Amino acid sequence: MVHLISLLKGRRSTGDKVFSEAYSRSGVGEVFWIITDRCNLSCVHCHKGASAESRYEVSKIDAFHIVDRIDRLGRPLIFVSGGEPFTSPHLLNILTELKSRGFRVVLSSNGTLIDEGAASHLLDIGIDYVALPLYGGELFHDRFTGVEGSHSRVLNALKLLRGSDTKLALKTVVSRSTIPNIDYILNEALRYDVKMLYLCDLLPLGRGASLSWDVLDKDGWRLLLTKLVREVLDHSYDVEIDVGLHPSAALYVLRDLGVNVLDTLSKAPSRLSPEGRGFISIAPNGDVSISHFLPHVKIGNVLEDDLEQLVNHPLYKAVGDSDNLRGRCGRCEFKYVCGGSRVKAYVCEGDLLAEDPTCLLN
């Protein structure tokens, strides 16, 4: 996560505080838990392959065992995702258990299965954040997800959850084809009192492998960040801008606005690149990896291994050590606060320690 507005205003979010407390205790500050691979959409950009088999899903009892093991880490920030998590029969049980133990929980859903009953359950459980996707207007969004009516269901979910203690986030993928829709997405965020806008770079992986032509170039990203950040600041919009798969976005924005980069980022809870630095991903079968984008880069299994020991895995430690970085990332003055995207280094270069080929400072 790269919270641009918070960095610029010198404030720490509740999520950052939760991360820091757990990270200082166990070495894990954030857990991304994929409870199922099943999904009712066919999004063209999905980093999972169209023919990818769903992994075995643990039982409800084992899911509670996983909660036990995460709890021992000091209650890190936890994201519950999929696939589409609402296709799991255990979702509400898992969410209830997490909240009963005092976790800060973000639910990432595609929104299509959040009807009045589901929304009521989420509010009763007390989920902290619900993140829903929006890629553009109705025709574009439905074409992007491959399911007619998905756009209207997302808006309905926003209506059902708006105005409650559960905060809302809108997530979108940034690409050449979605750039014209960013103003629309921001306006919808303001309309539904959304508190966070999550922008994730398009990763040419899985279904997205056929969309290399749609990846936004560096100049496009720079223009987007400058425009969007200045608009939010100039109008004092109450919305955070979070950037995924692009840690150098923070460096670019801070430098563009004349803010001291090293001084500002030295106060962040961890290196901007999360791989090997307090972030772990748990798969439906309990496998633990350094990133949900790289599930095959496995370091253990939560039901078989001690999570506190897994962060001492040689691979995890190597990726998290900025002194191991190569190329421009290894020579960069900001390598200890940024680290470059280790996911993109692997996808584009086949090397977790290679330079980030999408760095906005180069």
Side-chain angles (χ1 to χ4, degrees), residues 144-271:
F144 211 69
T145 63
V147 175
E148 186 176 352
S150 58
H151 177 273
S152 63
R153 292 178 198 168
V154 168
L155 295 190
N156 185 58
L158 289 169
K159 292 174 186 175
L160 291 170
L161 296 169
R162 177 178 56 183
S164 69
D165 290 335
T166 295
K167 294 181 180 180
L168 293 168
L170 276 181
K171 51 186 180 178
T172 197
V173 63
V174 174
S175 68
R176 292 172 61 191
S177 60
T178 60
I179 276 292
N181 304 331
I182 296 297
D183 285 341
Y184 166 79
I185 295 168
L186 175 60
N187 287 335
E188 292 299 282
L190 298 172
R191 176 185 174 192
Y192 288 103
D193 196 25
V194 168
K195 296 303 181 184
M196 185 170 296
L197 183 59
Y198 175 68
L199 310 173
C200 189
D201 202 8
L202 174 62
L203 190 66
L205 196 65
R207 288 198 193 101
S210 64
L211 297 178
S212 295
W213 60 271
D214 202 25
V215 173
L216 188 66
D217 62 20
K218 295 180 183 182
D219 284 339
W221 259 103
R222 293 180 186 115
L223 288 172
L224 168 65
L225 291 169
T226 298
K227 175 181 181 299
L228 194 56
V229 169
R230 289 186 182 278
E231 183 171 355
V232 170
L233 292 176
D234 290 348
H235 293 87
S236 299
Y237 293 147
D238 184 22
V239 60
E240 180 63 87
I241 299 175
D242 188 13
V243 181
L245 284 177
H246 232 328
S248 65
L251 307 181
Y252 171 75
V253 169
L254 291 171
R255 198 169 69 173
D256 185 51
L257 293 178
V259 179
N260 187 297
V261 176
L262 285 174
D263 182 59
T264 300
L265 293 182
S266 65
K267 301 169 187 174
S270 183
R271 190 181 72 178

Side-chain angles (χ1 to χ4, degrees), residues 23-194:
Y23 185 47
S24 63
R25 173 177 170 175
S26 65
V28 177
E30 182 180 339
V31 175
F32 196 95
W33 188 2
I34 302 170
I35 64 171
T36 180
D37 284 326
R38 289 174 289 171
C39 188
N40 57 332
L41 298 183
S42 299
C43 298
V44 296
H45 69 286
C46 185
H47 63 274
K48 297 176 183 176
S51 60
E53 294 184 5
S54 293
R55 288 165 286 190
Y56 164 79
E57 296 175 19
V58 300
S59 66
K60 183 170 72 172
I61 297 300
D62 278 340
F64 287 165
H65 288 324
I66 291 175
V67 175
D68 283 336
R69 298 192 173 212
I70 298 173
D71 202 356
R72 295 173 200 162
L73 299 173
R75 296 195 190 122
L77 180 64
I78 186 161
F79 287 74
V80 176
S81 186
E84 168 47 48
F86 271 99
T87 64
S88 168
H90 309 315
L91 173 65
L92 296 180
N93 299 112
I94 291 170
L95 295 177
T96 300
E97 184 66 15
L98 287 167
K99 287 306 300 176
S100 72
R101 298 190 185 212
F103 280 92
R104 183 168 179 81
V105 180
V106 179
L107 175 65
S108 182
S109 166
N110 65 35
T112 61
L113 300 178
I114 300 181
D115 55 16
E116 200 165 329
S120 179
H121 283 307
L122 295 178
L123 297 179
D124 289 343
I125 293 170
I127 300 305
D128 298 279
Y129 252 103
V130 174
L132 303 171
L134 193 61
Y135 305 114
E138 183 174 11
L139 290 177
F140 184 95
H141 182 97
D142 288 358
R143 186 170 67 249
F144 211 69
T145 63
V147 175
E148 186 176 352
S150 58
H151 177 273
S152 63
R153 292 178 198 168
V154 168
L155 295 190
N156 185 58
L158 289 169
K159 292 174 186 175
L160 291 170
L161 296 169
R162 177 178 56 183
S164 69
D165 290 335
T166 295
K167 294 181 180 180
L168 293 168
L170 276 181
K171 51 186 180 178
T172 197
V173 63
V174 174
S175 68
R176 292 172 61 191
S177 60
T178 60
I179 276 292
N181 304 331
I182 296 297
D183 285 341
Y184 166 79
I185 295 168
L186 175 60
N187 287 335
E188 292 299 282
L190 298 172
R191 176 185 174 192
Y192 288 103
D193 196 25
V194 168

